[in-house]
């Protein structure tokens, strides 16, 4: 397996950020020490582009990995995460603080990913174990080298898990990715998907049961 290159998770906009309606010229201000997301949003809404760039830096890694979990393709995942940031920037004036910026942004990203999936008959067959290994640390490397047999088994398991995940209904797949790949809480997932926490738990339970059944031969 080839690890994800750090550059693959780096978000670089291919076109300039759109202007925020009603924004004023950025003023030179002393930087806040460890500002909260909401403080950065408030600054960005006043026209301070650097504040939004800091939000991108904070969330681009997770955004890329969430998109990759849906797209199964590096370039498509990069495009989806970029599009999500661009859409968030263009609509920043509509952020009212009723939810966290984190939840608001990831709702935009997930909706874009779901639209992408609806346009695709089947996602590219990329190696699933890349997502699993790099969800915690992109520089992760196994402590011991795999034997040839272990490589074969890992590849078979990788493809089987990827196929099983792709076979899940969209909402079950979304909940599973957000919970197990990105570590979002049930409450955060419910807010992101705009649904009840109980519904999220049902989707997650069904997804886990389906995946266990699909992977029974590797137990």
């Amino acid at each position: 397996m080839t690890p994800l290159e750090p550059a693959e998770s780096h978000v670089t906009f291919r076109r300039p950020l759109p202007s925020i309606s009603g924004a004023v010229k950025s003023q030179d201000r002393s930087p806040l020490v460890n500002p909260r997301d909401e403080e950065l949003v408030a600054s960005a809404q006043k026209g301070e582009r650097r504040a939004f760039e800091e939000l991108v830096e904070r969330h681009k890694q997770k955004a890329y990995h969430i998109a990759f979990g849906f797209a199964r393709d590096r370039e498509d995942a990069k495009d989806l995460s970029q599009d999500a940031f661009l859409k968030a920037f263009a609509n920043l004036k509509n952020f009212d603080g009723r939810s966290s910026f984190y939840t608001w942004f990831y709702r935009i990203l997930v909706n874009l990913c779901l639209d992408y999936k609806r346009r695709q008959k089947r996602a590219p067959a990329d190696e699933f174990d890349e997502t699993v290994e790099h969800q915690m640390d992109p520089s992760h490397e196994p402590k011991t080298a795999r034997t040839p047999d272990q490589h074969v088994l890992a590849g078979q398991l990788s493809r089987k898990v990827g196929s099983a995940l792709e076979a899940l209904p969209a909402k079950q797949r979304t909940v599973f990715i957000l919970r197990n790949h990105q570590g979002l809480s049930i409450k955060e997932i419910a807010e992101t998907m705009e649904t009840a926490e109980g519904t999220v738990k049902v989707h997650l339970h069904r997804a886990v049961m389906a995946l266990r059944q699909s992977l029974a031969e590797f137990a």
Side-chain angles (χ1 to χ4, degrees):
M1 182 200 67
T2 303
L4 291 180
E5 300 285 343
E8 296 292 354
S9 58
H10 179 71
V11 177
T12 303
F13 292 118
R14 297 180 180 179
R15 52 190 181 279
L17 290 172
S19 60
I20 301 176
S21 178
V24 297
K25 287 186 177 181
S26 298
Q27 301 294 326
D28 290 331
R29 299 184 181 182
S30 299
L32 296 173
V33 178
N34 297 322
R36 295 181 297 109
D37 281 358
E38 287 67 30
E39 292 175 308
L40 291 172
V41 170
S43 296
Q45 287 175 327
K46 295 175 182 177
E48 296 179 30
R49 187 169 299 191
R50 289 183 181 179
F52 189 80
E53 291 173 351
E54 174 60 27
L55 289 169
V56 173
E57 287 298 314
R58 288 184 180 186
H59 298 290
K60 66 182 180 182
Q61 186 86 355
K62 277 192 174 182
Y64 173 81
H65 284 297
I66 287 176
F68 184 82
F70 283 94
R72 317 297 307 128
D73 179 89
R74 291 183 179 88
E75 292 304 315
D76 286 351
K78 190 185 297 183
D79 288 342
L80 285 167
S81 58
Q82 289 176 353
D83 288 346
F85 282 117
L86 287 167
K87 187 170 183 179
F89 188 90
N91 291 279
L92 201 59
K93 62 183 181 297
N94 298 323
F95 177 76
D96 56 13
R98 286 185 293 179
S99 63
S100 67
F101 172 80
Y102 177 93
T103 298
W104 181 77
F105 169 73
Y106 283 114
R107 186 180 300 143
I108 292 174
L109 175 61
V110 168
N111 285 334
L112 285 175
C113 289
L114 291 175
D115 287 341
Y116 167 90
K117 292 300 294 182
R118 282 191 282 266
R119 296 193 302 268
Q120 303 294 319
K121 291 183 179 180
R122 188 168 183 81
D126 215 335
E127 288 292 320
F128 181 80
D129 56 348
E130 291 182 344
T131 303
V132 175
E133 288 198 31
H134 295 278
Q135 61 181 317
M136 296 180 292
D137 181 3
S139 63
H140 171 77
E141 290 292 343
K143 292 182 179 180
T144 58
R146 291 175 177 173
T147 66
D149 287 346
Q150 288 175 327
H151 273 291
V152 171
L153 183 60
Q156 291 175 344
L157 178 59
S158 160
R159 289 185 289 273
K160 185 68 175 180
V161 172
S163 297
L165 190 59
E166 286 297 327
L168 292 175
K171 290 182 179 180
Q172 291 181 24
R173 182 172 60 248
T174 300
V175 169
F176 185 86
I177 289 173
L178 294 179
R179 178 62 173 168
N180 291 280
H181 293 186
Q182 300 305 320
L184 270 64
S185 68
I186 297 297
K187 180 179 179 181
E188 289 172 330
I189 296 171
E191 291 176 350
T192 298
M193 298 181 67
E194 298 183 301
T195 190
E197 292 183 31
T199 303
V200 170
K201 292 178 181 179
V202 170
H203 287 319
L204 181 59
H205 175 75
R206 291 176 177 174
V208 170
M209 290 297 99
L211 290 172
R212 283 180 179 173
Q213 184 176 358
S214 297
L215 301 174
E217 63 185 282
F218 293 95

